[in-house]
Amino acid sequence: MERSMLKAVASDGALSAQMIQEKKKRASREDVEAKLRLIEAALYVAGRPLDLKTLCSIVNSRSERKVKKLARMLIDEYKRRNTALEILELEDDRFVLQLKSECSDKVKRLAIRPLLTDGPLRTLSYIAYRQPITQKQVIEVRGKHAYKHISELVEMGLINRERNGRDFILKTTDYFADYFGLSRNIQVMKRQLKRIFNKSGEEKLPADGAAGMQGQQSETSK
């Protein structure tokens, strides 16, 4: 009888250990799912590429390696879903949630009003492709109305304007790169812009930012 009791105790102990293990696995799985939802929500709300530092802050993690793994899991999940949306991994460890290219052209007209009108957008495109460039050079090419464009672009955080003697040096910001889904590396960005301009036939960025880059994101991320 004593032996039977010992067996029962051992069996109960093994069962308890198994239940604890299962509980830990379930908690870990739920934690991963919660973080995946947060990353998905962040990418959706941002409407532009987000870097790992930002995503780490969203899921309250210090490990960029773990967050990158989660983001890649989300990429695979979207591939399995086979919906109109996709998540892409860009260079500089950034991720973006966007419409697939085959859907974007058909629904683009339903998008909200673009961030920039045609004039400022052309001035911004000119600056981005030739940066660093002086304000004087931009005015000579784009005309005096570009003064207003430049002030608007600075105010929106798309370019920086630094004093250089009697002139200013103009450069794009990280926000510009993120908004248009481009590299933050200037040289890489210029190569991306060249491909975009060649493809569109004009030196102008899409008015709707990264959303207008559909079909080009896979190229510009190289």
Side-chain angles (χ1 to χ4, degrees):
M1 184 173 179
E2 186 176 337
R3 185 177 297 176
S4 298
M5 289 179 65
L6 288 173
K7 284 184 178 180
V9 170
S11 178
D12 288 345
L15 184 60
S16 296
Q18 184 178 355
M19 290 176 65
I20 291 172
Q21 193 66 25
E22 287 296 327
K23 189 174 181 180
K24 287 182 178 179
K25 287 182 180 179
R26 185 166 61 252
S28 177
R29 186 166 57 249
E30 290 174 352
D31 180 62
V32 168
E33 290 173 352
K35 287 179 178 177
L36 288 174
R37 287 194 296 271
L38 282 173
I39 292 173
E40 181 181 27
L43 293 173
Y44 173 79
V45 170
R48 59 183 174 82
L50 296 179
D51 57 26
L52 284 176
K53 183 178 179 180
T54 301
L55 293 177
C56 281
S57 68
I58 294 297
V59 300
N60 195 27
S61 172
R62 295 182 179 179
S63 174
E64 291 190 357
R65 180 182 61 82
K66 290 181 180 179
V67 172
K68 180 188 284 190
K69 184 178 179 180
L70 288 170
R72 287 175 173 172
M73 286 173 62
L74 203 55
I75 288 176
D76 292 337
E77 174 63 26
Y78 267 75
K79 288 179 180 177
R80 286 193 294 271
R81 292 181 192 175
N82 193 28
T83 67
L85 300 175
E86 64 181 350
I87 295 177
L88 295 180
E89 180 177 357
L90 308 178
E91 64 172 42
D92 303 330
D93 289 329
R94 293 178 298 153
F95 295 84
V96 62
L97 172 63
Q98 63 179 33
L99 274 174
K100 290 180 179 176
S101 57
E102 60 264 31
C103 301
S104 62
D105 289 339
K106 296 180 180 179
V107 300
K108 190 182 295 185
R109 62 185 178 82
L110 302 175
I112 59 174
R113 188 169 65 87
L115 182 69
L116 293 167
T117 54
D118 189 71
L121 187 62
R122 289 183 182 277
T123 298
L124 177 60
S125 301
Y126 187 84
I127 293 169
Y129 193 47
R130 292 166 177 80
Q131 64 179 310
I133 186 171
T134 65
Q135 179 171 280
K136 181 181 178 182
Q137 289 174 298
V138 175
I139 301 302
E140 286 175 350
V141 174
R142 293 289 300 140
K144 290 187 177 181
H145 55 275
Y147 280 117
K148 184 177 179 181
H149 297 168
I150 291 169
S151 295
E152 182 180 344
L153 296 171
V154 170
E155 186 176 340
M156 295 174 72
L158 291 167
I159 65 171
N160 284 325
R161 178 168 54 184
E162 298 177 4
R163 172 70 69 176
N164 182 39
R166 294 184 177 182
D167 205 346
F168 293 94
I169 297 294
L170 307 177
K171 298 178 183 177
T172 57
T173 63
D174 286 348
Y175 173 65
F176 164 83
D178 290 346
Y179 181 78
F180 286 97
L182 298 168
S183 172
R184 292 180 178 180
N185 180 290
I186 299 299
Q187 297 308 314
V188 176
M189 179 194 294
K190 287 183 177 182
R191 291 197 295 270
Q192 294 171 338
L193 289 172
K194 184 177 181 179
R195 287 197 293 267
I196 292 166
F197 295 159
N198 287 341
K199 187 172 183 178
S200 66
E202 62 176 338
E203 193 175 296
K204 189 178 80 167
L205 288 158
D208 45 355
M213 301 286 196
Q214 307 300 333
Q216 301 178 46
Q217 279 286 15
S218 57
E219 294 180 31
T220 58
S221 62
K222 294 177 183 177

